[in-house]
Every structure is written in C-alpha cells, then in structure tokens.
Amino acid sequence: MGFKSGIFVLVLGVAIGYFVRDYGTEIEAAKAYVFESGSRFMDSFQQKQNKPAAKKSAPASEKSSISEKTNDRLFTKEELWNHYRGGKDSKGLYLAILGKVYDVSKGAKFYEPGGGYDFFAGRDGTKAYSTGDFTDKGLTDDLTGVGAEHFGEYENWVTFYEEDYTYVGKLIGNFYDANGQPTAALREAQNKMMEARKLKAKEEEHEKLFPRCNSEWTQETGSRVWCSTKSGGIERDWVGVPRMLKPVGVKNAYCVCIRDSGPPSLGHTEVDDNRGNLDYPYLQEIKGCDPKSFSCKI
C-alpha cells in the first residue's frame, strides 16, 4: 500500500464516520477500526521513512565467519593479512600455523611490526618453521616437498603456541575449507607428524644403544674422546669403548660409546655372545687407539 492509498483510507474513514454517525454502535465500531487501521499505516510509513540506512558489509573475502559444524571462528587470508598484523589501526596481532590461528599479542615485542618475528604475523607461514626461509615465497602453508623428518618440528611449534598463546580460530586455506573442516593437506600433514614421531622414537632408542662420546680439546693435548656412565646425555650402567659410527646416508662418521660385553642388543652377531655391540655394522675402530681403551686421542 502506497502513501496515497494511506491518505485515501483516512479520508474515507472520516467520510464514513460523518455519514453513519447516527446508525448504531456496530457502525461506530466499524468507523473506529478504519481510523485505527489508517493510523497504524501512517505510523509504519513514518518509521520506514526515518529508518537509518544499513551499514555496508565488508567484502566477502575479508569477512570472518563462524563454522556451523565446529563453532570455530573462520578467517580468510585477506582478513588475517589486512587486519591482524599489529600496529596502528590493527584489530589484533594474530598468526597461523597448520591452519590454526593464535592471538600472539602478549608476545608483541617479537611479532608486531619491527619485531624479530614480525614476518609470521597475519599469515600462515608454516613451511618456514622448518626451512628457515623467511621470504614471502618461503612463508607459505604449502608443504609440498617437505620431508617427514621435518614434521616433528611443526608439531613442536604447534604445541608451543597452544601452551603459550590463545587459540582464536581457523584459517580458510590449505588446511581448512570454507566450513572449517580439515582438508586432505591437513590429513597428510598429520600422517607425516605421526611418522616423524616414530622416527624420533627410533632415533632416541638408537641414541640409548649408541650414545655419543664425551669430547674435549686443549692446545696442550689436542682432541680426546672418552666414554663414561654418562655421555651424549645418556645415563647408563655401563661405560663402553669409543668407536666411529657411520650409518648409511650419513656423510660424516661420529664417535659413539659401544657396550663391549654381554649379548648384542640387535642380534647382529652369532660369533660371540659376550661382545656386546662391538660387531654392529657401520662401526670403525679409531686409528692409533687401543680397541679396549675407554679413552682415545684423535
């Protein structure tokens, strides 16, 4: 109903009121209804005329949302970069790793403009946490070509941010889709982190079997390596003897302490069950050193 129609209703109401004023209570009720309807229309019309204009929304590419499935706040890359790098007029100081967004405001001295790690702010630069490439090209969430052994570092960094900073949402991109759901890239990264944990466990077990030697150098005596019940950060109930270990794929051999009595740890010998791990492949005796000595000059 337009403005003219509303005026017509009011005029008609007045005319009917004068014409039928002597025709009983029912006609009076009808008149009152017409007047009331016309008044409600005019009030409604005035409200619409006086209603303030709606505020314009931010472009879709810069507007965050809430995931209906996970209830997480979802950020776009444009929004994170344009509004959450700290500094003047910024909405906050955020960064993302593996698609998770963290508020790092309490570490502003490191992440705000001019800080030592300001290049991480406002984006997901996951790859750089292992490569050390802090250029725009290196600060990316694309982990193509990164070996499984590096994913342990990513997991350590995620743990760091989880414990020291505040999680605020997810970043729509390589690791989470527009609904906040994990992508194939995130699942692949999680599988590689699991693989990295297994590799680390094997390395730690290897370090227990073959702990590194103690070492020292002085101008008077030169270099010396030796074994004790604690070396390479490993405490044990045996001393062992120094040997050079060069596993497959390792460029340079390094000194380790080898248990020289008791049965082998890895079943690598059938000759003598009381030689410890002396017959383990990839071991070399140190030239000029008594094979039974716990200390050698090199």
Side-chain angles (χ1 to χ4, degrees), residues 62-109:
E62 288 194 9
K63 189 175 181 181
S64 60
S65 58
I66 301 296
S67 170
E68 294 181 357
K69 295 185 177 181
T70 65
N71 205 35
D72 286 305
R73 182 178 177 184
L74 303 178
F75 296 85
T76 64
K77 289 186 176 182
E78 292 81 4
E79 178 189 18
L80 197 65
W81 179 255
N82 291 333
H83 302 298
Y84 292 94
R85 286 188 289 160
K88 186 179 180 181
D89 300 326
S90 177
K91 293 182 179 180
L93 184 56
Y94 295 176
L95 61 74
I97 180 171
L98 284 176
K100 288 188 172 184
V101 183
Y102 297 91
D103 183 341
V104 293
S105 299
K106 75 175 188 178
K109 65 180 180 179

Side-chain angles (χ1 to χ4, degrees), residues 6 24 31 40 78 85 110 143 177 236 265 267-268 279 287 295 298:
K31 181 182 68 174
R40 282 201 303 266
E78 292 81 4
R85 286 188 289 160
F110 302 111
L143 304 182
D177 64 20
R236 52 194 186 272
S265 302
H268 46 257
D279 296 315
K287 293 181 179 180
S295 176
I298 57 175

Side-chain angles (χ1 to χ4, degrees), residues 127-128 130-139:
K127 190 174 185 178
S130 70
T131 64
D133 181 358
F134 302 128
T135 64
D136 285 337
K137 184 177 180 180
L139 288 159

Side-chain angles (χ1 to χ4, degrees), residues 195-247:
E195 186 178 344
R197 286 195 293 271
K198 292 179 180 179
L199 288 173
K200 183 179 180 180
K202 287 183 178 180
E203 290 175 358
E204 290 176 348
E205 185 61 30
H206 189 271
E207 288 290 334
K208 290 180 181 179
L209 294 177
F210 307 110
R212 298 205 178 216
C213 302
N214 298 303
S215 63
E216 67 176 3
W217 178 90
T218 65
Q219 189 171 3
E220 294 76 17
T221 62
S223 297
R224 179 176 79 97
V225 293
W226 76 97
C227 296
S228 62
T229 53
K230 181 178 180 180
S231 66
I234 305 297
E235 291 190 26
R236 52 194 186 272
D237 58 3
W238 52 271
V239 175
V241 294
R243 293 289 188 273
M244 299 302 291
L245 175 63
K246 190 176 183 302

Side-chain angles (χ1 to χ4, degrees), residues 113-135:
Y117 303 107
D118 62 352
F119 40 76
F120 281 124
R123 65 170 128 203
D124 188 330
T126 299
K127 190 174 185 178
Y129 282 93
S130 70
T131 64
D133 181 358
F134 302 128
T135 64

Side-chain angles (χ1 to χ4, degrees), residues 40-53:
R40 282 201 303 266
F41 167 77
M42 290 303 294
D43 290 342
S44 175
F45 180 81
Q46 290 298 327
Q47 289 176 1
K48 289 181 179 179
Q49 290 297 101
N50 296 329
K51 184 178 181 180

